[in-house]
Amino acid sequence: MTDVDEVEKAVAAAFREEWGQVVATLIRVTGDWDLAEECAQDAFTQALDRWRRDGVPRRPGAWLTTTARNRALDVLRRQAVGAQKLREVAVLARDEGPYDPEYDDEGDGSGVRDDRLRLIFTCCHPALPIEARVALTLRALAGLTTPEIARAFLVPEATMAQRLVRAKRKIRNAGIPYRVPPAHLLPERTTGVLGVVYLLFNEGYAATSGADLMRTNLSAEAIRLARVLARLMPDEPEVLGLLALLLLHDARRNTRVDAAGELVTLEDQDRTAWDRAEADEGAALLETALRRGRPGPYQIQAAIAACHTTVATAEETDWADVAALYGELARFVPSAVVRLNRAVALGMAEGPETGLALVAELEKEGDLAGYHLLPATRADLLRRTGRTEEAAEAYGKALELVENEAERRFLEKRLAECRSA
């Protein structure tokens, strides 16, 4: 008999590492998402009992996949009515020996044999709404439960359940293929996959609403998925750039709020408490990506993050370089948010008045109406010029728009400082 705590730790570790692989393999061979998830969950439940008795297997992933596949085979045999079900049974039953996904010769015509990569592209198919792509990725690849995903995005559990059901139904009814897309579609589809992972990280790193500034479980899952993509597509510079970007940001995670949960700005963060190993890994990945000679938006954003994480003090930040990088980013992502960030950088590099002029242009255009960081940025630039009365008015406008409570408290603090001054 193996120690209970040791087994529970082994099963938990296997869940983190193997859930996506097990589910992905079963979806491919059965074509049934719900059956795949049900049998995968059953395999992990069995592992708690069997591993206590027999010991933790040398290759937990293969054990779990075999157990889940056999469970699916039992279910399909009981339901085997009609030619289609009999074909599914035949696919599963043709080799009832130990299953090893690394040596599975089943292909999708793309030359890519990793089921997780196929599953990521299926979850992130452009025919699905973006919120469904994120939810399905979290469910199928990260193993989060429906209540966990609902809590993460602050929607009722029933709403999230329906979102997942509709997404799976869309995949089935529309015949969305379970494969990596052909070469001529890969660039545009990879961009969509990276966008989902990036959106997931951002929601974890700076929550749009709720009491906490961060939801570390979401950002951690995004980093894990980015690592999977980097292992599966090591020659794609934007994949490496995305992972570098996430690591460089995540290296500052523990200093972004203080012990009381209050927001701490970048310039006031304790840089000695940053995760240097994570920052160094991100910087190394960025260098590798840039050597490919195919720059893209994630690599540029990672370079911007590196401008902050590679200097010892805020005063050493090369804001002119940051502003130039935002200018380059605007070529790839011509959005008002990128221009707002460039305005901040130029305000630091050339003086607040330069930044204020650019913010005024954005206010006039109206694309960021309702975005709380527009008046918040104007307020901060005004505060730096000493125009505290105007700054207080701008902070008040930002407070009318902000939804995250940690950000709200920070803006209230700044507003009080301006009023007292």
Side-chain angles (χ1 to χ4, degrees), residues 9 30 35 47 81 115 143 155 172 224 267 283 313 372 385 420:
K9 288 177 182 177
T30 69
L35 177 64
V81 177
D115 283 324
V155 299
R172 182 178 65 251
R224 194 180 70 81
E267 61 185 319
T313 65
H372 74 282
T385 67
S420 64

Side-chain angles (χ1 to χ4, degrees), residues 86-420:
L86 288 171
R87 281 196 296 271
E88 291 173 0
V89 172
V91 168
L92 278 170
R94 68 186 174 187
D95 175 16
E96 295 195 46
Y99 184 82
D100 188 344
E102 290 187 15
Y103 297 96
D104 188 347
D105 291 328
E106 286 284 327
D108 61 2
S110 68
V112 177
R113 290 165 53 188
D114 193 291
D115 283 324
R116 290 169 301 174
L117 187 54
R118 297 172 189 161
L119 184 55
I120 289 175
F121 276 98
T122 304
C123 290
C124 299
H125 195 279
L128 299 173
I130 185 65
E131 65 273 10
R133 297 181 212 172
V134 177
L136 205 55
T137 300
L138 282 173
R139 179 76 192 112
L141 273 158
L144 270 66
T145 65
T146 301
E148 286 173 333
I149 302 171
R151 284 197 301 271
F153 288 96
L154 303 177
V155 299
E157 183 179 336
T159 299
M160 184 55 67
Q162 280 300 311
R163 190 173 293 175
L164 289 165
V165 167
R166 284 195 297 268
K168 294 174 184 176
R169 185 184 300 138
K170 176 81 171 182
I171 289 171
R172 182 178 65 251
N173 294 344
I176 292 174
Y178 182 72
R179 62 181 174 88
V180 175
H184 70 282
L185 292 177
L186 194 56
E188 67 177 71
R189 290 287 300 280
T190 299
T191 299
V193 171
L194 298 183
V196 166
V197 175
Y198 183 50
L199 180 64
L200 177 61
F201 179 85
N202 278 346
E203 184 60 28
Y205 192 71
T208 54
S209 58
D212 300 322
L213 179 67
M214 297 179 290
R215 299 174 192 158
T216 55
N217 62 320
L218 290 185
S219 53
E221 288 301 337
I223 290 173
R224 194 180 70 81
L225 291 174
R227 287 191 186 280
V228 170
L229 289 170
R231 285 197 300 270
L232 300 176
M233 295 187 283
D235 296 323
E236 286 293 327
E238 276 293 82
V239 174
L240 300 180
L242 175 63
L243 179 56
L245 172 63
L246 304 193
L247 291 172
L248 288 165
H249 277 311
D250 197 61
R252 301 192 292 108
R253 181 184 70 244
N254 292 333
T255 64
R256 296 185 65 236
V257 293
D258 60 20
E262 301 302 320
L263 185 151
V264 180
T265 61
L266 176 60
E267 61 185 319
D268 293 328
Q269 288 171 15
D270 178 6
R271 294 174 181 237
T272 64
W274 287 358
D275 188 329
R276 293 316 315 176
E278 203 169 26
D280 291 344
E281 182 187 0
L285 283 165
L286 174 60
E287 284 188 24
T288 301
L290 292 174
R291 282 199 295 269
R292 301 279 196 271
R294 288 179 284 151
Y298 294 114
Q299 295 169 73
I300 295 170
Q301 290 178 82
I304 292 170
C307 287
H308 298 296
T309 57
T310 56
V311 293
T313 65
E315 291 72 26
E316 296 175 58
T317 304
D318 188 340
W319 284 104
D321 195 16
V322 173
L325 285 167
Y326 272 119
E328 184 69 13
L329 180 61
R331 291 178 52 244
F332 291 92
V333 187
S335 76
V337 172
V338 172
R339 290 171 57 202
L340 178 62
N341 286 325
R342 181 171 176 267
V344 172
L346 283 172
M348 298 298 291
E350 300 178 8
E353 294 298 341
T354 300
L356 283 167
L358 294 173
V359 168
E361 290 179 13
L362 290 167
E363 289 175 329
K364 185 176 180 180
E365 291 169 7
D367 290 341
L368 293 179
Y371 184 51
H372 74 282
L373 289 181
L374 179 62
T377 297
R378 183 171 186 273
D380 185 66
L381 291 168
L382 287 166
R383 180 180 64 85
R384 292 176 187 275
T385 67
R387 294 153 65 182
T388 54
E389 188 172 336
E390 293 174 77
E393 182 180 351
Y395 278 126
K397 290 180 180 178
L399 279 166
E400 293 174 4
L401 301 171
V402 70
E403 293 185 24
N404 182 276
E405 291 304 316
E407 288 185 281
R408 174 180 296 280
R409 292 192 299 271
F410 174 79
L411 293 172
E412 287 172 344
K413 178 182 175 183
R414 283 284 197 244
L415 175 58
E417 290 172 356
C418 288
R419 284 174 172 168
S420 64

